[in-house]
Amino acid sequence: MVLAHVSDIHLDLGERAFDRAQRVMRYLAGLPGEIAVLVTGDLADHGLPAEYEQVRKVLTGPHEVLICPGNHDVRGAYREVLLEEPASERPINRVHRVGGVSILMCDSTIPGRDDGLLDRETLDWIDSTLGGGPDGPALLCFHHPPQPLHVPWLDEIRQHGERNLAAILERHPRIAALLCGHAHTPAATTFAGRPLLVAPGVVSTIMLPWEHTDIDYDLPPAVAFHILDDDGRLTTHYRVIP
């Protein structure tokens, strides 16, 4: 199974973010075979209904697209436009079955804040979904990384309450990996003994502390390709989109 992992498109009704996101989605649309596309948050830049209309347009294509919110998203408008549901401030959590794999798209946002947390409702949902769902590998996806990435200002707004997440992983060994965004830089580490894989940002790239600037808006967007084999082993490739 192949998953194309995209994050942080930040559509703001302007041409720049729209063009960059469209470049990525056009590239993915041209790929043959069955590919699911994961978008791990910050779909809109200000959470406006008109921005979500733009998101809907950009994310339309031949491949199945799975989404979860980020700290720039607003739950009410997100639900109304993208999910066609009544507005609500409850966490937006969805599970999908793709190629025999359970993919949990989780809401790690705290409304009005930039840092993240899996609240009790979401933790209970993850626990019950994994405990009561079909067997087979699972992927846990959300916006905020629960592990420091050694970019100090970014680590301040990562996902906190990570001990609760680690307890979930201990109870459910079928979770093959954690996939997230928020960092605007491709990264790979581990959390509680599982791979933690961070998608590059589409709208911009956050540079590392020893590089020349904090944020680069000129580097091209990129995508992560995750391949999950029959043994439950995940391999990841990162591809720059010209």
Side-chain angles (χ1 to χ4, degrees), residues 62-218:
H63 303 302
E64 183 177 9
V65 178
L66 316 181
I67 59 176
C68 65
N71 55 293
H72 279 251
D73 292 305
V74 174
R75 289 174 178 173
Y78 182 114
R79 282 187 188 275
E80 288 184 316
V81 178
L82 298 181
L83 304 180
E84 298 181 341
E85 297 177 356
S88 168
E89 286 305 306
R90 291 183 60 190
I92 300 171
N93 301 309
R94 296 290 185 275
V95 61
H96 307 267
R97 289 285 291 179
V98 179
V101 178
S102 297
I103 302 178
L104 282 70
M105 305 298 292
C106 309
D107 191 340
S108 64
T109 67
I110 306 171
R113 290 172 52 169
D114 288 330
D115 58 331
L117 176 77
L118 298 178
D119 68 10
R120 177 47 55 189
E121 180 178 342
T122 297
L123 290 167
D124 290 345
W125 174 81
I126 294 170
D127 212 9
S128 62
T129 299
L130 291 173
D135 293 335
L139 297 171
L140 209 55
C141 310
F142 35 65
H143 185 63
H144 299 80
Q147 184 81 6
L149 299 178
H150 305 290
V151 180
W153 67 269
L154 180 64
D155 291 340
E156 292 178 2
I157 57 170
R158 67 178 177 88
Q159 182 186 144
H160 299 287
E162 61 271 23
R163 289 184 180 179
N164 293 325
L165 176 58
I168 293 274
L169 296 177
E170 185 175 352
R171 288 196 294 274
H172 298 284
R174 70 189 186 101
I175 299 175
L178 313 175
L179 309 179
C180 66
H182 190 50
H184 290 235
T185 183
T189 184
T190 59
F191 175 80
R194 312 294 168 83
L196 172 63
L197 303 167
V198 184
V202 170
V203 74
S204 62
T205 301
I206 288 179
M207 309 304 288
L208 302 174
W210 51 90
E211 293 185 295
H212 61 279
T213 187
D214 289 336
I215 302 177
D216 194 311
Y217 293 97
D218 295 323

